[in-house]
């Protein structure tokens, strides 16, 4: 009996895959694996019911705790985002694929199926894990490979054709041709795409949002919250220590009531396509904002500059799903060293779509109120003179050489320097 493990969300694409892998690929035994990384309980239940109704052997794996501890928290420590939005869908895919591999090994399956299209990023993220952990396994991707035509050729599926196929097979899917958008949800974020949302100038309807309130329905007064970090990881909210899942879900609810975390972005996918995406990630936006504020308090200027480059590289690797890449391990070694000092509390104000830092403190702060205060005489300001006189010395010398005509290139026009004042510069550079 040919066994295949289908990475199964219960949505349109993966539900269509159940009859497809039987009809077009000849698999007798379809095993569906849904990995719970924070989807709505109703979606999990419907996925289970739909899979069993279609004759699949179904398993649901609770991975919420693993997801937050081993994927979301590393993302916080690395200030993980991609082109301005918190990484959410991308960091869940490796865990989902890993759990599918575990189930395949347990049940003796030698093939995997998934519902990713040939245009998206998830095919890379999921198949990277599958090919790394079970390189001998066969991988079937019906949506990417297309539907079989009577003459044996294949052509790509459209979303409308999928809906027709699903209805013909009694799949009872939620999408319609009028409300065709696709939603992916986990604890760290919610993404919505498809239909008219693909149009860059189309204003998304309020009905697509579930976690965040719109401008007209946010709570009417600001709310101040306090987030505590230990070694770069959030551990407490408003003085109450919470387990990782509870902290994220609570903050999603609290920040979402103030409209925090709505992001509308033109995203560059791995294949070079630009796509319009809508995201809701209230907890992620709030925690990343707080974490950066605490790092700014405890890290040196050099560390912050270098870590910004490290974080950007980490985000690129996580976006691509390269969870086992050696560079990612190298970057995380540096990140872990820095995070040893990222301990403290950040105070934030949530209001009308914004999460604003209003205070922070840490036992490891590289800050002296006595030295920084304008009312203190501890810092001898007269000692700054020597440093100021040599500041930009070579740059100033270059400027005068250029103005004198000794270097190629036109001098800077006086009008750009002094507005209506036009006079020659005679001062010689001083050491």
């Amino acid at each position: 009996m040919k066994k295949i493990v289908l990475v199964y969300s219960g949505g349109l694409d993966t539900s269509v895959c159940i009859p497809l892998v039987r009809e077009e690929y000849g698999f007798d035994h379809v095993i569906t694996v849904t990995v719970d990384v924070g989807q709505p309980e109703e979606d999990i239940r419907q996925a289970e019911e739909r899979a069993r109704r279609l004759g699949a052997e179904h398993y649901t794996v609770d991975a919420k705790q693993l997801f937050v501890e081993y994927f979301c928290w590393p993302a916080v420590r690395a200030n993980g985002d991609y082109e301005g939005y918190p990484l959410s869908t991308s960091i869940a895919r490796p865990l989902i694929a890993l759990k599918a591999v575990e189930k395949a090994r347990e049940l003796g399956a030698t093939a995997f199926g998934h519902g990713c299209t040939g245009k998206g990023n998830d095919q890379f993220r999921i198949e990277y894990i599958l090919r790394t952990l079970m390189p001998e396994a066969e991988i079937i991707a019906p949506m990417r490979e297309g539907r079989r035509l009577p003459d044996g050729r294949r052509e790509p599926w459209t979303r409308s054709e999928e809906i027709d196929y699903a209805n013909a097979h009694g799949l009872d899917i939620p999408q319609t041709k009028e409300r065709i958008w696709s939603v992916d949800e986990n604890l760290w974020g919610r993404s919505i795409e498809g239909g008219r949302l693909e149009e860059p100038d189309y204003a998304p309807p309020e009905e697509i949002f579930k976690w965040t309130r719109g401008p007209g329905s946010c709570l009417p007064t600001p709310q101040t919250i306090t987030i505590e970090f230990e070694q770069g990881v959030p551990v407490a909210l408003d003085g109450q220590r919470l387990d990782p899942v509870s902290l994220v879900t609570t903050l999603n609810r609290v920040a979402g009531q103030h409209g925090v975390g709505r992001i509308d972005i033109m995203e560059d996918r791995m294949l070079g396509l630009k796509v319009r995406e809508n995201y809701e990630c209230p907890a992620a936006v709030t925690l990343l904002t707080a974490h950066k504020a605490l790092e700014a308090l405890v890290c040196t200027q050099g560390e912050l500059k270098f870590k910004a480059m490290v974080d950007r590289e980490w985000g690129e690797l996580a976006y691509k799903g390269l969870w086992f890449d050696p560079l990612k391990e190298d970057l995380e070694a540096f990140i872990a060293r820095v995070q040893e000092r990222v301990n403290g509390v950040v105070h934030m104000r949530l209001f009308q779509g914004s999460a604003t830092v209003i205070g922070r403190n840490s036992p490891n702060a590289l800050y002296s109120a006595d030295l920084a205060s304008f009312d203190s005489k501890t810092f001898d300001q007269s000692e700054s003179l020597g440093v100021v006189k040599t500041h930009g010395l070579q740059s100033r010398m270059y400027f005068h050489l250029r103005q004198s005509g000794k270097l190629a290139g036109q001098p800077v026009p006086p009008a750009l320097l002094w507005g209506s004042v036009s006079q020659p510069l005679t001062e010689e550079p001083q050491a």
Side-chain angles (χ1 to χ4, degrees), residues 50-338:
R50 189 173 293 122
R52 290 174 179 139
R53 189 168 63 249
L54 293 169
E57 179 182 349
H58 180 78
Y59 296 89
T60 297
V61 180
D62 185 347
K64 293 190 291 293
Q65 190 83 8
L66 284 174
F67 178 54
V68 178
E69 289 189 18
Y70 293 96
F71 294 84
C72 299
W73 284 173
V76 171
R77 286 157 64 98
N79 298 310
D81 73 359
Y82 178 76
E83 296 188 344
Y85 75 91
L87 295 163
S88 53
T89 297
S90 60
I91 63 174
R93 294 306 190 239
L95 177 57
I96 291 170
L98 189 150
K99 289 300 178 182
V101 169
E102 288 181 358
K103 191 58 66 175
R105 287 173 173 167
E106 175 189 334
L107 301 175
T110 58
F112 293 98
H114 61 72
C116 304
T117 70
K119 292 183 178 181
N121 296 319
D122 285 341
Q123 59 185 332
F124 295 95
R125 299 160 180 160
I126 290 174
E127 291 192 26
Y128 168 78
I129 297 296
L130 301 181
R131 296 180 193 279
T132 300
L133 300 181
M134 282 188 68
E136 73 283 2
E138 180 183 6
I139 298 177
I140 305 297
M143 296 301 104
R144 181 177 64 201
E145 293 158 19
R147 61 175 185 165
R148 191 187 302 275
L149 300 176
D151 61 6
R153 293 182 300 110
R154 289 185 177 275
E155 68 174 10
W157 288 87
T158 66
R159 186 54 60 94
S160 296
E161 288 169 346
E162 285 186 63
I163 292 174
D164 290 338
Y165 181 92
N167 291 333
H169 285 73
L171 298 190
D172 184 30
I173 47 89
Q175 287 90 348
T176 66
K177 293 181 180 180
E178 292 72 35
R179 302 173 63 188
I180 205 169
W181 45 76
S182 175
V183 177
D184 182 82
E185 184 172 325
N186 63 50
L187 286 166
W188 204 234
R190 185 172 180 271
S191 68
I192 315 101
E193 62 180 2
R196 290 206 64 191
L197 295 176
E198 295 173 349
E199 302 172 21
D201 60 348
Y202 173 70
E206 193 65 25
E207 64 182 292
I208 73 168
F209 300 107
K210 302 299 181 187
W211 287 8
T212 56
R213 296 189 184 184
S217 58
C218 291
L219 293 183
T221 55
Q223 181 176 353
T224 300
I225 63 170
T226 300
I227 303 168
E228 182 178 352
F229 291 84
E230 291 180 0
Q231 296 190 5
V233 172
V235 294
L237 181 62
D238 291 335
Q240 181 182 3
R241 293 185 74 90
L242 298 170
D243 68 85
V245 174
S246 296
L247 195 153
V248 172
T249 54
T250 300
L251 199 48
N252 272 330
R253 176 180 55 80
V254 171
Q257 292 177 333
H258 293 276
V260 174
R262 285 192 182 185
I263 299 172
D264 187 331
I265 193 170
M266 292 303 301
E267 180 179 322
D268 293 298
R269 283 187 175 168
M270 292 164 62
L271 285 169
L273 298 171
K274 280 191 181 293
V275 295
R276 196 266 190 94
E277 296 275 2
N278 282 271
Y279 291 95
E280 289 184 289
C281 29
V285 165
T286 305
L287 290 173
L288 289 173
T289 303
H291 180 261
K292 288 181 181 179
L294 190 56
E295 281 190 334
L297 181 64
V298 305
C299 295
T300 66
Q301 183 181 29
E303 284 178 312
L304 291 170
K305 181 180 179 180
F306 187 74
K307 189 171 184 293
M309 295 187 289
V310 169
D311 291 345
R312 185 168 57 253
E313 289 296 323
W314 188 95
E316 291 277 351
L317 291 169
Y319 182 77
K320 295 174 180 177
L322 297 174
W323 218 252
F324 301 137
D325 194 284
L327 176 58
K328 182 172 170 294
E329 294 181 1
D330 301 337
L331 298 175
E332 287 176 343
F334 170 78
I335 291 170
R337 185 72 175 88
V338 173

Side-chain angles (χ1 to χ4, degrees), residues 48 118 189:
E48 293 171 343

